[in-house]
């Protein structure tokens, strides 16, 4: 419940960002006439950054960017993970082994260096960041789905469908996919926080777009401008808390979903 | 039409396992005419289900099937995957045991029967099929868990009939049912078989069940046929010692002497990876002699249309 409430809050933030802050406030020129690194007051609710931009606007718009990247990356990861997991679980022989090898490869790949290289090669727009994160985040989920498929494909109704003369595609879509759907959904809600965290990490390391900043990017700005040593808490605390909050929200919701779909997990 | 619907010659089915190859069926030959019912009996592990499933190549990947299976003039073992999928269900359908596992719990039964029809672009009607098996049409919206065990088995039978097959392979269709429902399902199968001229292979370990449905009987032991002959005569007086033991394992209701008579068969069926030499049944056979352990015995005619694999016959 707490998770759901937090989640609603952040989604509302992302949706309502344009109501509270104009997009132009993110531009470097927007802070031209404002005081730099100014503490919060009536006009700048969360103070200003080192070039005079409104931190409140940055944080509101950051919700949008962070959620966009987190969700898009999750969609990408879930689609790749589900397709490969289904095939790896259902196929036998060399197809299954090749799938498993690809899965293993992505599972052990050190994420950050790879993502940095990819982002440098492909560009750093939010969409590309999401694709890069999604493209490397699917391996664990794929493994989970494969395990479930291995058990489902031995069910009587799969045998019946085979005897029926049904094609593998038909069997996977009609009989196996509905069985793993709850797992896919629960897993997806646990990928979201990972993806958001990964994006923040990459942004903090200097990747990402300066003028559509995610929370990680705002933190990078705070770090680079020395806000921490200058004790400009209004600059680094809000985006940091937001990241913690959203990760917590999705993790709580994900765990709750998992418990609903698999009551054997019990209360942990 | 004079050709038999199904001819099986020297069928071997060998499963792959971590301990090595497991020969589950070791040289079975049989034939089935159109409209005929063959009762296939044997203990668990005798290879009867493996044999029947191999007829449609419904075996795990890595299993080798040799010999020949000719269904309606076509060699099943030589079929390409696409042709095999087309033949499955359209020419030979399967009624599995334990319908509750074979129906997908998340789909309505209407959709599952429709699935069979659609797979082969048939034009059967779900409601008609259900009525044929004695389930009211309005039940087609039910989920499997809303039906009783007998009803589920009826749904399974309706599904088997969906594409108007020539051959029905019924793999212990009544095993999970209580005796009354069992009788109803058997009667249903017998009626359908008669009305539609279906050929049927009826697999069971319960010889008494076969008296209702079977024209001919084939008894398997350790992956081979040990006796085959006309059902009525065989049920009245089996000749092979194994068939006798199998028949004696069921008491006759109302017969006091059979209630207390020791009528089981000592020992276990042989491990398919270590089948005894000679006649595989000799270690458990009451009339076995030394000769039985040394001589491999083939099926031979003991009277017209009746064959047994026993040196003593």
């Amino acid at each position: 419940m707490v998770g759901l409430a937090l989640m609603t809050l952040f989604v509302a933030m992302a949706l309502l960002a344009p109501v509270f802050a104009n997009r132009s406030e993110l531009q470097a020129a927007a802070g031209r006439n404002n005081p730099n690194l100014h503490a919060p007051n009536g006009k700048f609710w969360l103070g200003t950054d080192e070039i005079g931009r409104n931190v409140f606007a940055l944080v509101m718009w950051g919700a949008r960017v962070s959620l966009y990247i987190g969700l898009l990356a999750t969609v990408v990861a879930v689609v790749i993970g589900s397709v490969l997991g289904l095939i790896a679980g259902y196929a036998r022989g060399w197809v299954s082994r090749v799938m498993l090898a690809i899965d293993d490869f992505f599972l052990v790949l050190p994420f950050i260096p790879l993502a940095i290289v990819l982002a440098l090669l492909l560009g750093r727009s939010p969409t590309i960041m999401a694709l890069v994160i999604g493209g490397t985040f699917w391996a664990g989920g794929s493994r989970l789905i494969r395990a479930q498929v291995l058990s489902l494909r031995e069910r009587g109704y799969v045998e019946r469908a085979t005897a029926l003369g049904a094609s593998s595609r038909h069997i996977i879509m009609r009989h196996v996919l509905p069985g793993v759907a709850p797992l896919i959904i629960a897993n997806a809600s646990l990928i979201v926080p990972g993806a958001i965290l990964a994006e923040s990490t990459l942004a903090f390391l200097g990747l990402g777009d300066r003028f559509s900043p995610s929370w990680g990017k705002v933190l990078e700005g705070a770090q680079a401008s020395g806000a921490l040593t200058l004790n400009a808490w209004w600059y680094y605390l809000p985006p940091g808390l937001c990241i913690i909050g959203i990760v917590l929200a999705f993790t709580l919701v994900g765990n709750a979903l998992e418990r609903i779909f698999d009551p054997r997990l019990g209360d942990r | 039409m004079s050709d038999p619907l199904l001819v099986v010659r020297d069928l071997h089915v060998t499963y792959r396992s971590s301990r090595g190859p497991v020969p589950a069926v070791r040289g079975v030959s049989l034939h089935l005419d159109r409209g005929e019912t063959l009762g296939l009996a044997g203990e668990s592990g005798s290879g009867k289900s493996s044999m029947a499933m191999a007829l449609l190549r419904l075996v795990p990947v890595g299993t080798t099937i040799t010999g020949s299976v000719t269904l309606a003039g076509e060699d099943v073992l030589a079929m390409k995957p696409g042709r095999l999928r087309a033949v499955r269900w359209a020419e030979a359908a399967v009624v599995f045991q334990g319908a509750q596992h074979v129906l997908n719990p998340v789909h309505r039964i209407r959709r599952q029967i429709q699935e069979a029809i659609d797979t082969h672009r048939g034009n059967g009607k779900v409601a008609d099929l259900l009525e044929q098996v004695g389930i009211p049409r309005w039940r087609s919206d039910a989920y499997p868990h809303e039906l009783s065990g007998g009803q589920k088995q009826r749904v399974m039978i309706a599904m088997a009939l969906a594409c108007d097959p020539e051959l029905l392979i019924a793999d212990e269709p009544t095993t999970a049912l209580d005796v009354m429902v069992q009788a109803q399902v058997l009667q249903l199968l017998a009626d359908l078989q008669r009305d539609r001229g279906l050929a049927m292979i009826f697999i069971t370990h319960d010889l008494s069940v076969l008296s209702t449905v079977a024209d001919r009987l084939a008894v398997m032991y350790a992956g081979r046929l040990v006796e085959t002959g006309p059902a009525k005569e065989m049920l009245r007086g089996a000749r092979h010692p194994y068939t006798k033991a199998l028949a004696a394992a069921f008491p006759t209701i109302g017969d006091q002497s059979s209630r207390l008579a020791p009528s089981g068969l000592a020992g276990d069926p042989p491990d398919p990876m270590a089948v005894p030499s000679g006649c595989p049944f000799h270690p458990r056979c009451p009339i076995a002699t030394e000769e039985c352990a040394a001589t491999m015995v083939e099926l031979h005619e003991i009277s017209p249309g009746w064959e047994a694999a026993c040196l003593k016959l």
Side-chain angles (χ1 to χ4, degrees):
Chain A
M1 279 323 286
V2 179
L4 217 53
L6 269 174
M7 209 153 132
T8 316
L9 176 74
F10 285 115
V11 171
M13 249 174 95
L15 292 177
L16 297 177
V19 177
F20 290 100
N22 197 307
R23 200 187 163 91
S24 65
E25 289 195 62
L26 304 180
Q27 301 303 316
R32 216 171 22 209
N33 304 319
N34 299 337
N36 294 347
L37 272 185
H38 195 277
N41 58 26
K43 191 177 173 211
F44 306 110
W45 294 349
L46 290 173
T48 60
D49 71 356
E50 78 279 14
I51 51 172
R53 291 187 301 178
N54 186 348
V55 174
F56 180 70
L58 293 180
V59 171
M60 290 299 278
W61 282 91
R64 208 164 242 233
V65 177
S66 286
L67 270 176
Y68 170 73
I69 293 178
L71 294 178
L72 182 61
T74 303
V75 170
V76 171
V78 164
V79 169
I80 300 178
S82 304
V83 170
L84 291 191
L86 282 168
I87 296 174
Y90 191 78
R92 297 169 199 238
W94 66 270
V95 180
S96 175
R97 280 199 292 276
V98 168
M99 293 289 178
L100 213 53
I102 298 175
D103 205 59
D104 277 335
F105 178 74
F106 276 91
L107 212 51
V108 298
L109 220 53
F111 166 70
I112 290 175
L114 176 79
I116 291 175
V117 172
L118 283 177
L120 286 176
L121 284 174
L122 300 172
R124 28 174 82 186
S125 81
T127 306
I128 288 188
M129 295 298 289
L131 293 180
V132 166
I133 294 169
T136 47
F137 253 58
W138 52 269
S142 165
R143 186 55 65 90
L144 277 177
I145 289 160
R146 173 182 168 271
Q148 179 74 10
V149 173
L150 283 179
S151 125
L152 284 174
R153 79 167 181 202
E154 303 300 333
R155 298 285 163 90
Y157 47 81
V158 171
E159 192 190 355
R160 187 207 76 215
T162 314
L164 218 54
S167 61
S168 299
R169 213 187 85 169
H170 173 91
I171 294 174
I172 290 178
M173 296 309 284
R174 184 59 94 63
H175 296 291
V176 178
L177 190 57
V180 293
L183 190 70
I184 292 177
I185 294 166
N187 183 247
S189 62
L190 292 177
I191 293 181
V192 177
I196 290 178
L197 216 47
E199 190 280 328
S200 304
T201 309
L202 292 179
F204 187 74
L205 290 176
L207 296 164
D209 183 352
R210 188 84 222 261
F211 298 109
S212 55
S214 67
W215 291 327
K217 199 71 198 167
V218 179
L219 276 182
E220 187 219 354
Q223 146 83 12
S225 65
L228 285 103
T229 40
L230 294 170
N231 221 0
W233 56 267
W234 59 89
Y235 195 0
Y236 59 79
L237 214 52
L241 287 175
C242 281
I243 292 173
I244 294 172
I246 201 160
V247 168
L248 191 66
F250 275 97
T251 309
L252 285 174
V253 170
N255 282 340
L257 281 178
E258 234 181 9
R259 220 169 302 146
I260 291 166
F261 292 135
D262 188 358
R264 278 170 302 176
L265 291 175
D267 290 320
R268 285 176 304 182
Chain B
M1 286 300 278
S2 61
D3 285 345
L5 175 64
L6 174 74
V7 181
V8 178
R9 282 214 183 81
D10 195 29
L11 184 71
H12 289 253
V13 178
T14 307
Y15 293 119
R16 199 170 55 183
S17 81
S18 52
R19 293 193 300 149
V22 183
V25 177
R26 305 179 303 132
V28 167
S29 300
L30 53 81
H31 63 91
L32 189 69
D33 288 327
R34 287 168 206 274
E36 188 186 22
T37 299
L38 175 72
L40 189 60
E43 281 170 287
S44 305
S46 61
K48 53 191 193 307
S49 293
S50 300
M51 204 279 287
M53 292 302 145
L55 300 179
L56 286 174
R57 288 173 37 196
L58 290 170
V59 292
V61 174
T63 308
T64 46
I65 308 175
T66 62
S68 84
V69 175
T70 313
L71 180 64
E74 254 187 298
D75 185 355
V76 176
L77 301 187
M79 281 178 192
K80 294 199 167 68
R83 178 68 193 141
L84 180 66
R85 288 219 317 263
V87 165
R88 285 176 177 171
W89 224 261
E91 285 185 29
V94 184
V95 178
F96 291 95
Q97 58 175 309
Q100 60 270 45
H101 304 298
V102 177
L103 296 174
N104 191 329
V106 303
H107 297 316
R108 294 176 200 280
I109 57 171
R110 172 163 41 82
R111 189 164 170 211
Q112 304 199 50
I113 297 173
Q114 192 66 46
E115 181 184 5
I117 298 170
D118 293 347
T119 305
H120 295 283
R121 295 193 185 81
N123 42 22
K125 290 272 190 305
V126 173
D128 296 344
L129 288 163
L130 283 175
E131 273 187 359
Q132 284 188 45
V133 298
I135 290 180
R137 351 184 121 222
W138 59 270
R139 291 300 276 159
S140 69
D141 273 334
Y143 284 97
H145 72 267
E146 296 173 317
L147 301 175
S148 71
Q151 286 175 316
K152 272 182 271 197
Q153 198 54 271
R154 283 167 192 269
V155 169
M156 189 64 231
I157 294 169
M159 199 181 290
L161 298 175
C163 303
D164 229 343
E166 298 247 31
L167 172 65
L168 206 60
I169 300 173
D171 186 2
E172 308 206 17
T174 59
T175 302
L177 307 174
D178 68 63
V179 203
M180 295 309 290
V181 178
Q182 190 171 334
Q184 292 168 8
V185 171
L186 283 174
Q187 194 54 52
L188 172 67
L189 280 171
D191 291 348
L192 288 169
Q193 194 255 342
R194 197 189 52 238
D195 298 346
R196 296 184 157 227
L198 279 171
M200 184 154 74
I201 295 181
F202 194 102
I203 304 168
T204 182
H205 55 257
D206 183 348
L207 281 182
S208 62
V209 158
L210 290 175
S211 57
T212 329
V213 288
D215 301 316
R216 271 193 308 131
L217 232 56
V219 179
M220 278 185 85
Y221 185 79
R224 298 175 67 92
L225 289 182
V226 294
E227 186 170 6
T228 163
K232 286 208 173 55
E233 285 82 348
M234 260 179 80
L235 287 166
R236 220 175 295 136
R239 306 283 281 276
H240 192 283
Y242 176 66
T243 316
K244 282 182 186 168
L246 205 59
F250 295 95
T252 313
I253 291 171
D255 177 3
Q256 286 298 323
S257 62
S258 78
R259 270 184 69 187
L260 300 172
S263 51
L265 181 59
D268 294 316
D271 178 354
M273 296 179 74
V275 176
S277 65
C279 169
F281 187 55
H282 81 265
R284 301 168 76 191
C285 180
I287 59 168
T289 55
E290 272 173 37
E291 198 191 359
C292 294
T295 320
M296 183 79 179
V297 56
E298 296 292 335
L299 219 51
H300 54 266
E301 194 160 75
I302 52 173
S303 62
W306 193 330
E307 291 175 77
C310 180
L311 285 175
K312 307 293 172 190
L313 295 170

